[in-house]
Amino acid sequence: LQRSQHLKRSAGLAPAPCRWSSGLPMNIGVLFVPQQEAWVVERMGKFHRILEPGLNFLIPLLDRIRYVQSLKEIVINVPEQSAVTLDNVTLQIDGVLYLRVMDPYKASYGVEDPEYAVTQLAQTTMRSELGKLSLDRVFRERESLNANIVDAINQASDFWGIRCLRYEIKDIHVPPRVKESMQMQVEAERRKRAMVLESEGTRESAINVAEGQKQAQILASEAEKAEQINKAAGREANAVLVKARAKAEAIQLLAAALAQQHGSAAASLSVAEQYVNAFSKLAKDSNTLLLPSNAGDVSSMVAQALGIYTTLTKPQAVKMEEVPSARGDPQSTPAEVLKAEEASSG
């Protein structure tokens, strides 16, 4: 054991803690083995048996306690080492290894120093696993990296009677320049996130303003529509009804006036006046005029207007009888009255 420790120091490697370097129990015939320990006994230099915790009896001089194995979980610090990542970045990394002796016989005779062997295996496995990952993935996939190292150690340490329970990376030291680049990258990423958040806030604000304007226009149009409906249903409807009622009353009064004596003559005279007035306004509204051939004969124009009125008011089922006397007869038509007046004046 002292020679192996000397070789490790000469090779520049930190020696792993050795559980049996402090001396072995002496065989006095009656031995008490503590809990969670396994004592490997050799008889005349050959493996004999493993003592169980509690009271045990051995033969002095023939039996010798060769190894004492602790069955507790062991914590080993993996020394710091350098490793190169996939993107050629050199890292200084260390870790913690958690072990447990599962088979005291294999742990005693399978390897000279099981703890030192497992430590060296953990270092080499760590370097090989880091070489498969880039620098960014080393920090993101730390848990998967630990799991891969544990699997690789268990495949080799199965023949040594030792099982690796877990492996944890303690510190990862990055070169100063790479660290500055990472810090700049983090700052750029933060600025990018801030700009993205600001742009999203501006977009949301514009959307909210547009939605508010849209809702305001919709509400204003609906209010105007309701106002127009109320006006149409209220004041304008009442005005239309009042106009219709007034017109109906005027028609009734006109019909009553026409039913009186000389009502038809008065109506004929009114129609004739309106016809003459309308004919006099033709030149005021347009430059193109359509005039009858006898435009200068006013009496013929009046007679024509009275004829149109007579045709419209004459019942279709009743034929008017000829009137013998045109002037002075109450039943004379307006045309006959006008003709009689012209004859008397002539």
Side-chain angles (χ1 to χ4, degrees):
L1 293 175
Q2 292 178 357
R3 186 172 62 85
S4 63
Q5 295 290 338
H6 178 70
L7 291 175
K8 294 173 187 176
R9 292 190 185 94
S10 62
L13 299 174
C18 186
R19 297 187 302 276
W20 50 83
S21 60
S22 59
L24 299 174
M26 295 181 59
N27 182 8
I28 57 177
V30 179
L31 299 174
F32 297 94
V33 180
Q35 186 68 31
Q36 289 296 97
E37 284 189 5
W39 292 2
V40 179
V41 178
E42 292 181 354
R43 177 168 290 181
M44 293 185 300
K46 184 180 179 180
F47 173 74
H48 176 56
R49 67 191 180 99
I50 298 176
L51 300 181
E52 298 291 336
L55 178 62
N56 293 274
F57 297 95
L58 295 177
I59 300 175
L61 300 178
L62 296 179
D63 296 334
R64 179 187 174 189
I65 301 172
R66 186 69 178 83
Y67 299 100
V68 175
Q69 301 288 351
S70 175
L71 303 181
K72 299 177 183 179
E73 187 173 348
I74 306 168
V75 181
I76 301 176
N77 289 323
V78 179
E80 185 178 8
Q81 61 176 338
S82 62
V84 181
T85 61
L86 184 62
D87 48 356
N88 297 324
V89 178
T90 303
L91 301 177
Q92 297 294 328
I93 188 169
D94 57 358
V96 180
L97 194 63
Y98 297 86
L99 304 175
R100 176 175 289 177
V101 176
M102 308 303 294
D103 190 346
Y105 177 79
K106 291 182 179 181
S108 301
Y109 299 99
V111 64
E112 179 67 24
D113 191 345
E115 296 178 359
Y116 177 75
V118 171
T119 303
Q120 296 302 310
L121 181 60
Q123 290 180 337
T124 56
T125 306
M126 185 189 302
R127 284 194 293 268
S128 63
E129 291 295 332
L130 286 176
K132 300 176 183 178
L133 302 175
S134 61
L135 180 60
D136 295 335
R137 294 183 59 189
V138 169
F139 295 98
R140 290 199 303 264
E141 300 182 5
R142 198 164 180 172
E143 295 181 359
S144 62
L145 181 63
N146 294 335
N148 294 335
I149 294 174
V150 169
D151 294 338
I153 293 174
N154 287 331
Q155 291 178 4
S157 63
D158 187 31
F159 298 97
W160 304 336
I162 297 175
R163 182 172 182 81
C164 179
L165 301 179
R166 57 187 178 275
Y167 178 84
E168 297 293 339
I169 298 176
K170 289 198 303 184
D171 296 321
I172 300 177
H173 301 282
V174 185
R177 292 186 178 180
V178 178
K179 190 174 182 180
E180 292 178 0
S181 301
M182 293 175 63
Q183 187 67 26
M184 294 174 62
Q185 181 180 1
V186 171
E187 293 178 358
E189 186 68 24
R190 292 178 181 271
R191 287 196 299 268
K192 175 184 175 182
R193 292 180 181 178
M195 294 175 64
V196 169
L197 291 176
E198 184 178 0
S199 63
E200 289 181 354
T202 304
R203 184 186 66 179
E204 293 292 334
S205 176
I207 291 174
N208 292 334
V209 171
E211 288 290 338
Q213 293 178 355
K214 177 182 176 181
Q215 294 294 331
Q217 292 179 359
I218 292 174
L219 293 176
S221 62
E222 290 181 353
E224 184 178 359
K225 178 182 177 182
E227 183 180 0
Q228 293 179 359
I229 291 173
N230 293 332
K231 286 182 179 180
R235 183 177 60 187
E236 295 180 1
N238 293 330
V240 171
L241 291 176
V242 170
K243 289 181 180 180
R245 290 173 183 174
K247 189 174 183 180
E249 292 178 358
I251 292 173
Q252 290 178 359
L253 293 175
L254 180 60
L258 290 175
Q260 294 179 2
Q261 187 178 5
H262 302 294
S264 299
S268 300
L269 180 59
S270 176
V271 171
E273 291 177 353
Q274 292 178 4
Y275 182 82
V276 172
N277 292 331
F279 189 80
S280 64
K281 295 180 181 178
L282 290 176
K284 296 181 180 180
D285 297 335
S286 176
N287 295 327
T288 303
L289 298 176
L290 295 177
L291 299 176
S293 59
N294 54 351
D297 191 359
V298 179
S299 60
S300 62
M301 293 173 55
V302 174
Q304 186 179 0
L306 293 176
I308 294 172
Y309 174 76
T310 304
T311 303
L312 293 175
T313 57
K314 181 180 179 181
Q316 296 181 359
V318 180
K319 294 183 178 180
M320 295 183 64
E321 297 180 356
E322 297 182 359
V323 180
S325 176
R327 189 173 182 180
D329 190 356
Q331 301 297 329
S332 298
T333 61
E336 295 174 348
V337 172
L338 291 174
K339 288 181 180 180
E341 290 179 355
E342 290 176 359
S344 61
S345 63

